[in-house]
Amino acid sequence: MTDQPGVEPSAATAATATAADTGAPAPGGPRGRLPMTGDMIIQAITEGHSAVITILAVFVALVIGAILIVASDPVVLRAWDSFGYAPGAALSATWNSVAAAYSALFEGAIFAPGTISAAFHGGSIAAIFYPLSLTAFEATPLILTGLSVAVCFRAGMFNIGAAGQWIGGALVATWLGYAVNLPIVLHAVVCIIGAFAGGAVLGWIVGEIKARTGAHEVILTIMMNYIMYNFLAFLLSSHNLMQAPGQTNALAPNITNSAMLPHVGGPPPQVGVGFLIALAAAAATAWLLSRSTTGFQFRAVGASPSAARSAGISVERVWVLAFLIAGGLAGLSAATIVQGQTAPLTTTSYGTYGFDGITVALLGRARPFGVVLAGLLFGALNAGGTVMEAATGVPSDITNVIEALIVLFVAAPPLIRMLFRLRRGGAGPQAVASKGWSG
């Protein structure tokens, strides 16, 4: 592509922009990573490296969450009413309330220390890993929808249609799951492929319309979401289409056992093959974006469509292909839910997976490895929030507030720099990570 006569300057421009975008050295520049020294670590902290910004964002969100926990605890509020003559009691009640809530959050998402001692006295060893299994289960669809959004981000587009693409994948996987009879392993594989295809078709439609008409993808994906919401309700409410026999409610038939995704290693049952599919999809997406010619074209178009077009890249083709892949990843997210649990498909099964994928992709800096970590963080908050509410009475909605605050602070690094008095460094990784949706 860069060897074509007459296009070397533009191609070099696109390559340089993409290299800066990915943190890689520009063509002709020095190769390899710089050694990580103590001075570099201190500089990264004081100047607000992207990883430091993310860690501080999580910390600030947890602090604000603690304030909300205290404000919602009537015992603590009564203790603060007598702060003037019993300050120690007020501070002790505050600490106990926050510590109990966050301890329950940790035990529900990571592990409960009591299960370790119980295992040595005849208890279940699987109980030790039960919280982690819940985290992995909650994170699986978020990782895949996050990857769906991230692929479009890297190509300079905003995919708000992961929810509709999720429904497209869910419809195909569900129909293949109950209407087709196949051997046990083959049946599950066919449903997974069908889910990818179902989501990919919807993504392709958006990309094709954008490429042919220039319509903005935000409008297209929002409208496609509404189309799929109502199309799902129509199919599940029609006896002759996908409504379960003998039912008056809008729900699909149960898929057969041969189409279900098996669990990994037996109990705890929350961890299924879907989590491995999510990790494999993240690895494949990372290779696509960083190691393939197609990924270079995605990054070049995301950095500068005009420069990419001058370099001989078909921008319209990139738009279509990016949305096709993004839709397929959202469809895979649906497969992990439809084939990973016994509940049938309903008009609310899509939940908030599609829109949560936007926050996961943003927190993960639109990079596959970051998306996996962000998905696991949100999965841990979702899993631990339920346990926290059951154990302490603190509303699990506080975890949703914490998630939103994390994304807010990550998206606005100047807020973190102002709070922690960080110096603004030069054009480093932190500047690249916060420069926009395509970067």
Side-chain angles (χ1 to χ4, degrees), residues 41-408:
I41 295 175
I42 294 174
Q43 182 181 3
I45 294 174
T46 57
E47 293 187 356
H49 185 276
S50 59
V52 175
I53 292 291
T54 302
I55 293 172
L56 293 177
V58 174
F59 172 76
V60 174
L62 290 175
V63 170
I64 297 176
I67 296 173
L68 295 176
I69 290 171
V70 171
S72 63
D73 191 332
V75 175
V76 177
L77 294 179
R78 285 195 297 270
W80 276 93
D81 287 339
S82 56
F83 179 80
Y85 58 87
L91 295 176
S92 176
T94 300
W95 170 257
N96 292 336
S97 177
V98 174
Y102 280 159
S103 295
L105 181 68
F106 178 84
E107 292 178 2
I110 309 301
F111 81 96
T115 58
I116 298 179
S117 59
F120 287 101
H121 296 83
S124 171
I125 297 178
I128 300 175
F129 303 99
Y130 182 77
L132 285 175
S133 73
L134 286 176
T135 295
F137 173 77
E138 294 283 349
T140 297
L142 300 181
I143 291 173
L144 288 165
T145 53
L147 291 172
S148 172
V149 177
V151 167
C152 287
F153 277 173
R154 302 303 291 170
M157 296 179 293
F158 198 178
N159 179 22
I160 310 184
Q165 295 151 13
W166 193 100
I167 294 174
L171 288 174
V172 176
T174 299
W175 184 82
L176 291 173
Y178 73 81
V180 177
N181 293 318
L182 291 171
I184 183 169
V185 176
L186 181 61
H187 199 178
V189 173
V190 168
C191 289
I192 292 171
I193 295 174
F196 184 93
V201 168
L202 291 175
W204 171 81
I205 292 173
V206 172
E208 192 70 22
I209 295 175
K210 177 179 175 62
R212 290 183 179 272
T213 68
H216 201 284
E217 70 276 3
V218 171
I219 302 299
L220 294 174
T221 50
I222 290 176
M223 293 300 102
M224 190 63 72
N225 283 344
Y226 282 107
I227 291 172
M228 294 308 298
Y229 295 157
N230 291 283
F231 185 56
L232 174 66
F234 170 72
L235 291 178
L236 298 186
S237 301
S238 302
H239 294 290
N240 298 327
L241 297 175
M242 289 187 67
Q243 188 177 37
Q247 284 286 339
T248 57
N249 297 324
L251 75 163
N254 288 310
I255 65 175
T256 61
N257 290 333
S258 60
M260 298 291 291
L261 293 177
H263 299 301
V264 178
Q270 278 67 28
V271 180
V273 171
F275 184 64
L276 301 182
I277 293 175
L279 296 181
T285 304
W287 177 88
L288 173 72
L289 294 177
S290 62
R291 299 293 182 181
S292 68
T293 301
T294 300
F296 171 81
Q297 293 175 349
F298 282 14
R299 301 195 313 272
V301 171
S304 175
S306 59
R309 185 176 283 110
S310 299
I313 298 175
S314 174
V315 175
E316 289 74 17
R317 175 183 175 274
V318 167
W319 290 342
V320 175
L321 186 57
F323 261 107
L324 185 147
I325 295 173
L329 290 168
L332 282 181
S333 175
T336 63
I337 299 299
V338 170
Q339 298 177 247
Q341 60 187 17
T342 56
L345 180 66
T346 68
T347 55
T348 59
S349 294
Y350 53 84
T352 60
Y353 299 128
F355 291 100
D356 288 345
I358 299 173
T359 59
V360 169
L362 177 60
L363 181 59
R365 309 280 183 179
R367 287 166 172 78
F369 180 68
V371 168
V372 172
L373 293 181
L376 288 172
L377 174 61
F378 281 20
L381 290 173
N382 292 339
T386 303
V387 176
M388 180 181 69
E389 183 173 12
T392 65
V394 176
S396 60
D397 292 338
I398 285 181
T399 60
N400 296 329
V401 176
I402 292 174
E403 293 173 3
L405 288 170
I406 292 173
V407 175
L408 172 65

